[in-house]
């Protein structure tokens, strides 16, 4: 199923960091949710992680974070087709780790990837052919 939504191989993502004008760099803090967890905690360590998509290649990466430092992560999938849009993240299976919800903008199909760090532990269709007048919020 995952292979059916992935296109051709692509180049790796490069990242850059730069200081903010005004002399200080803000320190990111996790955003708490109602359940006591943080947004985009893909490894379950209680700290927010970063989900990235290369808009040229479709590659999806996760950076596992410790404050402003990357402690791990990696390529989740290479060459995700542009009609597949990340619609949200959340702990959909209750394991304390964020998962990814995607939708095909052409067909309306919805897929969920259950994540373990930067690895898809399982994935499947949640629904197929959702009409365009229904949107995932």
């Amino acid at each position: 199923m995952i292979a059916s939504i992935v296109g051709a191989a692509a180049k790796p993502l490069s990242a850059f960091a730069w200081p903010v004008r005004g002399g200080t760099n803000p320190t990111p803090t996790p955003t708490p949710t109602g359940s006591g967890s943080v947004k985009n905690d893909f490894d379950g360590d209680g700290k927010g992680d970063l989900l990235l998509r290369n808009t040229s290649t479709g590659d999806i990466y996760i950076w596992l974070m410790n404050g402003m430092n990357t402690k791990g992560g990696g390529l989740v999938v290479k060459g995700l087709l542009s009609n597949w849009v990340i619609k949200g993240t959340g702990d959909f299976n209750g394991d304390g780790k964020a998962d990814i919800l995607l939708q095909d903008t052409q067909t309306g199909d919805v897929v969920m990837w259950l994540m373990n760090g930067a690895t898809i532990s399982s994935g499947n269709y949640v629904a197929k052919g959702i009409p365009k007048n229904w949107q995932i919020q």
Side-chain angles (χ1 to χ4, degrees):
M1 191 284 308
I2 293 168
S4 68
I5 64 174
V6 175
K11 301 177 198 171
L13 175 75
S14 297
F16 302 94
W18 57 89
V20 176
R21 286 186 185 212
T24 60
N25 293 330
T27 302
T29 55
T31 305
T33 63
S35 65
S37 62
V38 293
K39 185 166 177 59
N40 293 344
D41 182 6
F42 289 99
D43 61 353
D45 68 351
K47 299 175 184 173
D49 302 311
L50 300 177
L51 175 62
L52 303 103
R53 181 178 190 159
N54 184 316
T55 57
S56 297
T57 65
D59 295 354
I60 305 290
Y61 280 79
I62 290 178
W63 290 349
L64 303 175
M65 304 300 293
N66 183 13
M68 291 184 67
N69 298 312
T70 306
K71 66 177 186 176
L75 178 68
V76 175
V77 71
K78 202 170 192 62
L80 185 69
L81 299 175
S82 62
N83 52 298
W84 282 95
V85 176
I86 296 171
K87 297 301 278 188
T89 60
D91 183 8
F92 297 114
N93 62 348
D95 67 352
K97 300 173 186 175
D99 306 305
I100 303 172
L101 187 70
L102 304 101
Q103 186 172 26
D104 184 329
T105 57
Q106 294 174 357
T107 65
D109 295 351
V110 177
V111 166
M112 184 178 295
W113 292 341
L114 300 179
M115 302 301 295
N116 182 14
T119 302
I120 301 170
S121 60
S122 67
N124 209 341
Y125 287 92
V126 174
K128 290 191 175 190
I130 293 179
K132 292 186 183 210
N133 59 322
W134 286 90
Q135 296 183 2
I136 296 171
Q137 301 291 311

